Amino acid sequence: MLKLHDVHAGYGAIEVLKNLTLEVQAGEIVALLGANGAGKSTTLLTIAGVVPVRSGMITWQGAPLPTGKADVVLRQGICLCPEGRHIFPRLTVLENLISGSLLLPANRNAAKLEEIFHYFPLLAERRKQLGGTLSGGEQQMLAIGRAMMGEPKLLMLDEPSLGLAPQIVSRIFEIIRLINQKGVPILLVEQNAQQALRIAHRGYVIVTGKNQLTGTGAELLASDEVRQAYLGE
Ligand SMILES: Nc1ncnc2c1ncn2[C@@H]1O[C@H](COP(=O)(O)OP(=O)(O)OP(=O)(O)O)[C@@H](O)[C@H]1O
Ligand SMILES: [Mg+2]
């Protein structure tokens, strides 16, 4: 579905991604792992069209994906749930959710809201509460819910478990798996390598913007390199 072919990208004089190659196939959860500063968020921002591709190519459903055009990428159904959530603090939960579907016909909102409230009953209870007054875990649920409102054909999640209590982390991973089982492919960036690899079909480890390792979730979980570098063993 999505393929990055030898992608280079960066900011000003800094080249962050150097020859990065990865793909996400229909139905997959793909984990993207790497140390702080390895270029994980940059990878997602480059796919999302926020950061332009300098050389190499991204293809989506077999055709080149325009680079550096976030609106075009979003209209193709590729949706990024960014690191740090970035919900609208002064809008209510409901307004935040609706903001995720502004590009789609409004008559589908009711059914989508029902689906999201099914995943996150807590958001239904708090639909009139201001986004900025939600707890960290609730804000993460809202950010994922908002991305789901856009009916993504590919959902990219950047560190959804960051800063959350273990119980909420487990719930978030469970919901990621459920969303995927409904047919949405997911590209998942995580520091929490163990939990991410447990739900991922495949994964990539990147080091300073380059491919280091790839394999199935189970292979990477068992690899000495991953265990030492990311699982603290
Ligand atoms: N807007 C920017 N301008 C300049 N450099 C940037 C910018 N954003 C990121 N970088 C640099 O690019 C490199 C990769 O950053 P990136 O955010 O992609 O890493 P990451 O793998 O997501 O790290 P983390 O695990 O800390 O989130 C870092 O060295 C960072 O300082
Ligand atoms: Mg990051």
Side-chain angles (χ1 to χ4, degrees):
M1 282 194 99
L2 177 85
K3 270 192 188 177
L4 274 67
H5 311 257
D6 300 331
V7 167
H8 290 245
Y11 311 91
I14 310 165
E15 182 150 89
V16 177
L17 304 185
K18 298 159 195 144
N19 241 12
L20 190 70
T21 292
L22 67 84
E23 72 178 296
V24 182
Q25 290 161 8
E28 280 190 316
I29 298 180
V30 173
L32 181 59
L33 309 175
N36 293 122
K40 305 179 298 295
S41 297
T42 302
T43 304
L44 299 192
L45 290 169
T46 305
I47 297 166
V50 178
V51 173
V53 173
R54 290 181 174 174
S55 72
M57 191 163 72
I58 302 179
T59 54
W60 169 244
Q61 295 178 327
L65 188 69
T67 125
K69 295 197 171 133
D71 57 331
V72 178
V73 174
L74 188 59
R75 279 174 206 278
Q76 300 267 331
I78 299 177
C79 194
L80 170 64
C81 185
E83 189 173 355
R85 295 142 204 168
H86 297 282
I87 55 132
F88 299 109
R90 292 167 158 255
L91 297 185
T92 65
V93 165
L94 192 59
E95 288 163 345
N96 266 281
L97 290 173
I98 298 293
S99 77
S101 68
L102 293 177
L103 292 178
L104 297 169
N107 63 8
R108 296 217 285 271
N109 281 349
K112 281 183 288 187
L113 282 170
E114 198 177 317
E115 183 188 352
I116 286 153
F117 291 153
H118 171 72
Y119 292 133
F120 304 113
L122 213 138
L123 295 182
E125 283 166 31
R126 290 167 184 257
R127 69 183 82 193
K128 292 191 180 144
Q129 191 172 326
L130 291 183
T133 64
L134 296 175
S135 74
E138 291 161 359
Q139 289 192 15
Q140 185 60 59
M141 293 175 190
L142 181 56
I144 297 175
R146 181 180 57 183
M148 288 301 293
M149 285 296 287
E151 298 179 0
K153 295 196 176 84
L154 173 71
L155 179 60
M156 301 193 289
L157 300 172
D158 197 348
E159 311 244 12
S161 79
L162 194 70
L164 305 182
Q167 234 179 352
I168 309 280
V169 173
S170 302
R171 178 88 191 114
I172 298 267
F173 276 99
E174 203 178 295
I175 286 159
I176 293 171
R177 207 207 296 248
L178 281 176
I179 290 171
N180 173 255
Q181 281 168 353
K182 290 248 175 180
V184 183
I186 293 176
L187 180 55
L188 172 65
V189 164
E190 260 300 331
Q191 290 288 334
N192 194 331
Q194 184 143 24
Q195 299 226 44
L197 290 174
R198 272 206 216 122
I199 64 165
H201 300 94
R202 293 186 305 110
Y204 294 86
V205 178
I206 62 172
V207 174
T208 58
K210 296 185 196 144
N211 293 90
Q212 174 88 355
L213 265 181
T214 183
T216 65
E219 282 165 358
L220 291 177
L221 259 180
S223 113
D224 287 341
E225 209 169 334
V226 171
R227 295 178 84 87
Q228 280 161 18
Y230 303 102
L231 305 178
E233 290 177 11

